[in-house]
Amino acid sequence: MDPSISSIFNPKSIAVVGASKTPGKIGYEILSNILGYGYGGKVYPVNPTANEILGLKCYPKVSSIPGGVDMVVISVPAKSVLDVVEDAGNAGAKVAVVISSGFKEVGNVALEEELVRKARSYGMRVLGPNIFGVVYTPARLNASFGPRNVIPGGIAFITQSGALGIALMGMTIVERIGVSSIISVGNKADVDDADLLQFLADDPSTKVVLIYLEGVNDGRRFIKVASEVITKKPVVVIKAGRTEVGAKAVASHTGSLAGNVVVYKVAFNQAGILAAHNVEEAFDISRTFANLPFPTNEKLVVVTNGGGAGVLVTDTLAEYGITLTNPPQSLVEQVRKLVPPFASLANPIDVTGMISNEGYVNSLLAALNNPEVGAVLGVYCQTAVTDPTMIAGMLISKVKEMGGLNKPLAIALIGGEETYMAIKRLNDFGIPTFPMPERAATSIASMYNYLRMRESVISRLKELS
Ligand code: COA
């Protein structure tokens, strides 16, 4: 892997070219985010018309910064970008994060090619152009003009779309989804998904990589790298432009070729990539991988207080190739003591709508602590005899007492306002919790799906070696 790629995530110093004193201008907001999110390295605003910005000494050029810099964030109009790159290259910068639009996406192909040629001639890599920046939470780096206070966690999010990416950045904060990184790749003139995947594969803070993808420049390399990465951690892709009209929309957005939908499907499957059907599902699955250990065996047990919701998750799991089998006898005996006599002790275990808070939580814990159970899916429908916030609180303290989860537990809490408060609490704690049964079922099913795909990719790679 090119060592310059790691400077995208862990730069020792950053220059913001086009830094501005004017709040609301992109160059101001990026500098403000870098400082406000707590980046610990050296930061230099660059603007020939200012002496000081946000309390920092301002430099007229990158080459006038004593000691040089690793990363140069460029937020000046496209026509000035090449001069900045030339100057930064001379000053020994390792990576240029080019925020500016006005390149291939509007037909300026030659300008974009020249940008990369020039940067590479100095050994510098280019992220972008046409991007909102980069975030890497382990380094407290937020060199973007998106929201500032992203939550640290295990998801690396690579996005080809800028505005959608920024919006989803905000969504992660509201939904309590932790990220290791958010990388806007825009036109992918130089650094692409494969380069980033190679870094993220060995990044200990990243548990799962989530990519919003419109198209790839080098499909073969992407698939080769992705299949190597998925032997280490899951890769979830939301592929935009899956229909003919969608593909046309992609061409006019980032200038990428969306490619043939069937080819993508086959290639993703072969590489072991999890293809999400929509953005919501992509984040649900990724949140689950980021927070949970892998199933310890094939036996998935569902514990529900609502028969209908139990049927819905059974259907969803079956659609993902998971058939629920009877719970272990030892678990049946334990749960029998906690539930009304008319409870159904099959799988799903239906503890009935009459169950108390304690009864529901203890049934879940019995399943979690049973050595023959590999993963647990909790499904709860709000009733007048239970309180979802109490259930969340009890479950959190019991899991804390256990020293954390040693097998996956995903939960669906379905109901009114209190369930949403409980969902937030459980997600903050790290138990993936969803407001609909199918979302929880899809998330846990994806873990089994990933393990299956990983096994077949590993054996195929072995055959090839
Ligand atoms: N070196 C250093 N500073 C320079 C410079 C140079 N070569 N050329 C200009 N500047 C300064 C300007 O004087 C200005 O500073 P000021 O605010 O103190 O006057 C600042 O850099 C910004 O330049 P300006 O000409 O005001 O541009 P802008 O801020 O209006 O727009 C971009 C710059 C990059 C934001 C704009 O061209 C652009 O591409 N916008 C789209 C960005 C985008 O959407 N990206 C994709 C996101 S998904």
Side-chain angles (χ1 to χ4, degrees):
M1 190 192 71
D2 182 343
S4 293
I5 298 294
S6 63
S7 298
I8 295 174
F9 299 89
N10 278 309
K12 289 197 186 69
S13 50
I14 307 172
V16 181
V17 182
S20 173
K21 277 189 172 161
T22 311
K25 285 188 82 164
I26 288 181
Y28 173 91
E29 299 302 333
I30 293 176
L31 182 64
S32 173
N33 270 348
I34 294 173
L35 299 176
Y37 194 59
Y39 171 69
K42 291 201 175 101
V43 186
Y44 305 96
V46 175
N47 183 328
T49 65
N51 295 321
E52 192 188 287
I53 301 178
L54 285 167
L56 296 176
K57 178 176 159 49
C58 193
Y59 292 83
K61 291 167 146 204
V62 176
S63 55
S64 48
I65 298 168
V69 287
D70 273 0
M71 175 189 278
V72 179
V73 180
I74 304 177
S75 180
V76 297
K79 63 177 176 4
S80 308
V81 169
L82 291 192
D83 289 344
V84 175
V85 164
E86 173 112 50
D87 178 52
N90 273 318
K94 293 181 180 140
V95 62
V97 173
V98 184
I99 304 293
S100 321
S101 303
F103 292 84
K104 188 174 147 197
E105 82 286 359
V106 291
N108 287 336
V109 178
L111 186 65
E112 184 159 310
E113 283 172 358
E114 184 55 13
L115 162 67
V116 176
R117 197 202 56 72
K118 199 167 272 253
R120 296 299 288 257
S121 73
Y122 290 102
M124 190 173 21
R125 300 298 302 264
V126 176
L127 184 67
N130 189 26
I131 62 174
F132 63 82
V134 58
V135 172
Y136 186 57
T137 58
R140 300 300 297 174
L141 171 70
N142 184 346
S144 81
F145 63 94
R148 179 172 303 165
N149 292 318
V150 284
I151 301 168
I155 303 175
F157 175 38
I158 302 173
T159 173
Q160 196 167 356
S161 170
L164 179 65
I166 294 180
L168 293 173
M169 227 172 136
M171 180 279 295
T172 62
I173 299 170
V174 175
E175 294 283 329
R176 328 302 296 168
I177 297 174
V179 296
S180 62
S181 45
I182 300 176
I183 311 119
S184 172
V185 286
N187 294 8
K188 296 196 263 200
D190 176 23
V191 173
D192 63 9
D193 310 274
D195 294 316
L196 298 168
L197 276 172
Q198 281 177 328
F199 173 88
L200 295 166
D202 295 320
D203 174 36
S205 303
T206 297
K207 304 283 177 251
V208 52
V209 184
L210 164 53
I211 309 178
Y212 166 87
L213 187 76
E214 295 191 350
V216 287
N217 299 330
D218 184 346
R220 273 181 206 284
R221 178 161 175 261
F222 174 71
I223 291 301
K224 182 175 179 295
V225 171
S227 57
E228 283 158 10
V229 174
I230 78 105
T231 65
K232 298 178 182 170
K233 56 189 70 169
V235 176
V236 179
V237 173
I238 169 81
K239 172 73 180 76
R242 293 189 299 268
T243 58
E244 210 174 301
V245 278
K248 275 188 192 146
V250 160
S252 63
H253 179 213
T254 46
S256 284
L257 289 174
N260 181 299
V261 60
V262 180
V263 172
Y264 267 101
K265 226 176 175 174
V266 171
F268 283 4
N269 208 28
Q270 220 178 50
I273 291 170
L274 291 156
H277 295 99
N278 51 56
V279 176
E280 178 179 80
E281 184 181 300
F283 276 93
D284 285 354
I285 297 172
S286 301
R287 182 209 284 275
T288 303
F289 282 115
N291 284 291
L292 298 180
F294 288 122
T296 49
N297 65 45
E298 288 288 323
K299 175 80 74 191
L300 167 65
V301 167
V302 179
V303 178
T304 180
N305 70 339
V311 175
L312 288 175
V313 297
T314 306
D315 274 342
T316 305
L317 292 168
E319 279 157 12
Y320 282 90
I322 297 172
T323 308
L324 294 172
T325 54
N326 281 337
Q329 198 50 38
S330 53
L331 177 61
V332 169
E333 298 312 325
Q334 246 183 316
V335 174
R336 199 189 301 281
K337 294 176 197 141
L338 304 168
V339 297
F342 43 87
S344 163
L345 300 177
N347 196 3
I349 299 176
D350 183 355
V351 295
T352 83
M354 215 182 115
I355 196 85
S356 63
N357 296 326
E358 290 80 2
Y360 183 74
V361 171
N362 287 336
S363 303
L364 271 184
L365 290 168
L368 266 182
N369 288 318
N370 191 294
E372 292 171 66
V373 174
V376 180
L377 177 55
V379 181
Y380 163 84
C381 302
Q382 187 174 14
T383 64
V385 293
T386 52
D387 176 351
T389 44
M390 281 191 62
I391 287 180
M394 285 165 64
L395 187 59
I396 289 169
S397 52
K398 291 286 182 191
V399 171
K400 271 188 191 156
E401 272 170 35
M402 286 159 54
L405 293 169
N406 58 9
K407 65 185 67 158
L409 168 65
I411 296 186
L413 295 184
I414 310 135
E417 208 176 331
E418 297 85 354
T419 61
Y420 284 84
M421 280 152 57
I423 288 169
K424 182 174 169 298
R425 235 178 123 184
L426 285 162
N427 277 323
D428 270 336
F429 177 69
I431 297 177
T433 307
F434 306 92
M436 288 297 154
E438 296 89 345
R439 288 175 61 184
T442 298
S443 298
I444 210 104
S446 296
M447 298 197 101
Y448 282 103
N449 202 2
Y450 167 67
L451 292 179
R452 255 184 254 135
M453 290 207 287
R454 184 178 71 174
E455 211 176 292
S456 75
V457 169
I458 289 174
S459 50
R460 202 166 33 87
L461 290 177
K462 257 191 204 146
E463 273 169 31
L464 290 173
S465 66

